[in-house]
Amino acid sequence: MKAGILASFFVLAVAATASTANPVYYGEVEAILQTRCQNCHRPGEIGPMPFLTYEQVRPWAKAIQASVASKRMPPWFADPGIGHFSNDRALPAKEVETLLAWVNAGAPKGDEKKGLPEKAWVEGWNIPQPDVVLGMQKPFPVPANSKIDYQYVVVPTGFTEDKWVNMVEARPTDRSVVHHAVIFIRDPKSRWLLEANPYESYVPDRQGAARRIDVGGGGNEILHTYTPGNLPDVWKPNQAKLIPAGAALVFQMHYTSTKKDTADLTRIGLVFAKQAPDQRIMTVIAGDESFAIPPGDPNYRVTGSLTMPNEATLLSFFPHMHVRGKGFEYHLIDGEKREPLLKLPKYDFNWQLTYHLAKPLELQRGQKIEVTGVFDNSPNNPNNPDPTATVRWGEQSWEEMVYGFFAIAVDARHDRRSWATRKQLPPKSEE
């Protein structure tokens, strides 16, 4: 019996070796890097070094080996046993084997004539050339070693007609200090931040409840959220977000200073839908703001939920916590039934990603999306600024949040209010 088991292991080992035998850069390796890595590892993107040529890649071979073997790169944190995601960045086992075998063989170059055509990128963007680029008009200074309140920048769109946005991407000029940028669509009827001058960085009054309202966008829709390592929002051709005529964009900028003085100028690119969509994309949120994480607690759980007021199609998840974040979960609650949708066993504050469902999920009125954030406020958390503190909700990274954003698609005839108030739409044939 033991001999049979050993023989089986030997056969599997030979097969694995054969599948990755003698890999060279201008072959399997270039194809993997082009598909999996160059999106970030190219000039102007978040990757600290480009991986476009053999000469650029070769000095980093050992680092690639270590990052791939530890699954630190590409960044992806979803539990593979729960849900399937169309943007799953995790490398398949065969590609991992290929990269490791290539490095172990001395990272051979191979025949350059067999190289792949260079992938075409739109300079400065991960989306097609935007129809419109909007954003800050002057850089915001970020002094070294400083605390910076959330900055709000009102950016007029100048749109005289409704615009349906099919793709959107935000791009800071200094990603090292941008913890996040949330871009809200301020409705023309909204009075939120009317006192702020256009294009001027503004800090709202922090007294009373105004602080919470501003963080949430004053009830206005989220167009896009930028976090380090996240990708642009790209929807299907029949899906889009609406920017009404006369609306302004409000950039909520969370800056975290470093050890050197710098400045940032964030902008956003929009690609419009070619025709009016069938489905309107909306971003909704579940969470809790009333928690108090005890000092030293290594496994403190905070839960919030949102009950569906109307039918919707669930598209994606975006979990958000700060430096004490340890794990995050989404569940669908339907009566007594509880179904896991996404689980991050190891939440990483430095890589806050969106997880797009491979198969969108139809949600019914009365079902709940429940989110749970798990916090490590113990001394064993190397990112914990003060394990002796009782930690409550707050904007800064040394405070905490637990928000589960998720994108839904609804009938394009709905607006945010009609969907949330259970308004029934007439049959399309009656319109």
Side-chain angles (χ1 to χ4, degrees):
M1 184 68 177
K2 290 184 178 178
I5 294 174
L6 289 173
S8 297
F9 278 131
F10 178 76
V11 170
L12 290 172
V14 170
T17 302
S19 69
T20 57
N22 306 316
V24 295
Y25 178 81
Y26 288 109
E28 305 98 314
V29 173
E30 183 186 31
I32 294 171
L33 296 179
Q34 191 174 91
T35 302
R36 308 288 186 180
C37 307
Q38 288 182 6
N39 190 65
C40 291
H41 287 275
R42 58 189 175 91
E45 299 304 319
I46 194 169
M49 73 290 288
F51 285 167
L52 301 181
T53 67
Y54 176 79
E55 288 70 26
Q56 293 172 343
V57 173
R58 179 61 183 86
W60 299 98
K62 290 293 184 181
I64 291 172
Q65 181 184 49
S67 296
V68 168
S70 65
K71 298 184 178 180
R72 191 170 64 87
M73 288 286 156
W76 185 256
F77 308 102
D79 184 331
I82 298 175
H84 299 282
F85 302 95
S86 61
N87 63 328
D88 190 337
R89 295 179 175 181
L91 288 179
K94 185 176 180 180
E95 294 184 7
V96 172
E97 292 171 2
T98 298
L99 291 174
L100 297 184
W102 175 67
V103 178
N104 288 334
K109 182 176 184 179
D111 185 355
E112 189 170 352
K113 294 180 181 178
K114 296 181 179 179
L116 297 173
E118 184 177 338
K119 191 169 182 178
W121 302 97
V122 177
E123 184 176 356
W125 300 96
N126 286 295
I127 57 176
Q129 187 63 45
D131 293 312
V132 172
V133 177
L134 300 167
M136 301 163 63
Q137 288 192 341
K138 58 183 179 181
F140 179 79
V142 182
N145 303 313
S146 59
K147 173 188 174 182
I148 303 170
D149 289 324
Y150 277 28
Q151 302 292 313
Y152 293 82
V153 183
V154 177
V155 177
T157 64
F159 296 160
T160 57
E161 59 182 13
D162 293 351
K163 295 289 187 181
W164 288 100
V165 178
N166 181 247
M167 304 182 193
V168 56
E169 178 181 3
R171 295 185 66 87
T173 55
D174 190 342
R175 292 182 178 87
S176 69
V177 294
V178 179
H179 168 268
H180 77 239
V182 180
I183 293 86
F184 295 96
I185 305 168
R186 189 177 71 184
D187 188 271
K189 298 178 183 178
S190 173
R191 300 191 60 80
W192 180 51
L193 299 184
L194 287 181
E195 72 277 14
N197 293 323
Y199 301 111
E200 296 290 334
S201 295
Y202 178 72
V203 178
D205 182 2
R206 293 309 196 198
Q207 301 300 316
R211 181 182 184 192
R212 296 290 176 88
I213 295 171
D214 288 315
V215 169
N220 290 281
E221 174 63 79
I222 294 174
L223 174 61
H224 180 62
T225 299
Y226 166 86
T227 52
N230 215 350
L231 298 176
D233 283 323
V234 177
W235 298 290
K236 292 180 179 179
N238 68 328
Q239 299 174 334
K241 282 194 174 183
L242 177 66
I243 302 180
L249 302 184
V250 176
F251 286 50
Q252 179 196 84
M253 303 300 303
H254 181 184
Y255 291 110
T256 302
S257 69
T258 61
K259 295 181 180 180
K260 65 176 183 179
D261 295 340
T262 186
D264 171 70
L265 190 150
T266 292
R267 57 181 183 162
I268 191 166
L270 309 177
V271 175
F272 298 137
K274 304 305 180 186
Q275 59 188 21
D278 300 318
Q279 293 184 320
R280 177 174 181 166
I281 305 298
M282 297 194 299
T283 301
V284 290
I285 183 173
D288 181 33
E289 298 175 350
S290 61
F291 57 85
I293 306 172
D297 194 317
N299 200 49
Y300 190 79
R301 299 172 69 87
V302 178
T303 297
S305 66
L306 177 68
T307 300
M308 293 296 103
N310 231 318
E311 290 74 20
T313 302
L314 178 62
L315 303 179
S316 64
F317 310 100
F318 176 72
H320 177 68
M321 297 187 290
H322 291 167
V323 296
R324 294 174 177 86
K326 179 181 180 180
F328 206 99
E329 302 171 6
Y330 285 77
H331 284 85
L332 175 64
I333 311 298
D334 189 356
E336 299 298 318
K337 184 179 178 181
R338 180 183 175 86
E339 178 186 354
L341 300 176
L342 171 69
K343 183 176 182 180
L344 308 184
K346 294 183 180 180
Y347 178 85
D348 191 328
F349 172 73
N350 297 304
W351 293 100
Q352 299 186 46
L353 309 179
T354 299
Y355 299 83
H356 296 273
L357 286 168
K359 183 179 180 181
L361 179 64
E362 297 302 324
L363 300 176
Q364 303 302 316
R365 176 184 296 181
Q367 292 180 324
K368 290 183 180 180
I369 297 293
E370 180 187 88
V371 302
T372 300
V374 186
F375 295 95
D376 183 355
N377 194 25
S378 76
N380 294 326
N381 179 357
N383 300 313
N384 193 347
D386 184 4
T388 67
T390 297
V391 184
R392 293 180 171 83
W393 183 95
E395 294 179 350
Q396 298 298 334
S397 299
W398 58 85
E399 299 168 310
E400 274 302 339
M401 291 184 178
V402 54
Y403 290 140
F405 298 88
F406 50 102
I408 58 174
V410 302
D411 191 302
R413 296 171 295 167
H414 267 307
D415 59 23
R416 195 173 185 86
R417 181 179 296 275
S418 69
W419 178 80
T421 55
R422 305 190 178 191
K423 179 180 179 181
Q424 294 296 308
L425 295 173
K428 289 186 178 181
S429 59
E430 295 181 10
E431 293 189 341

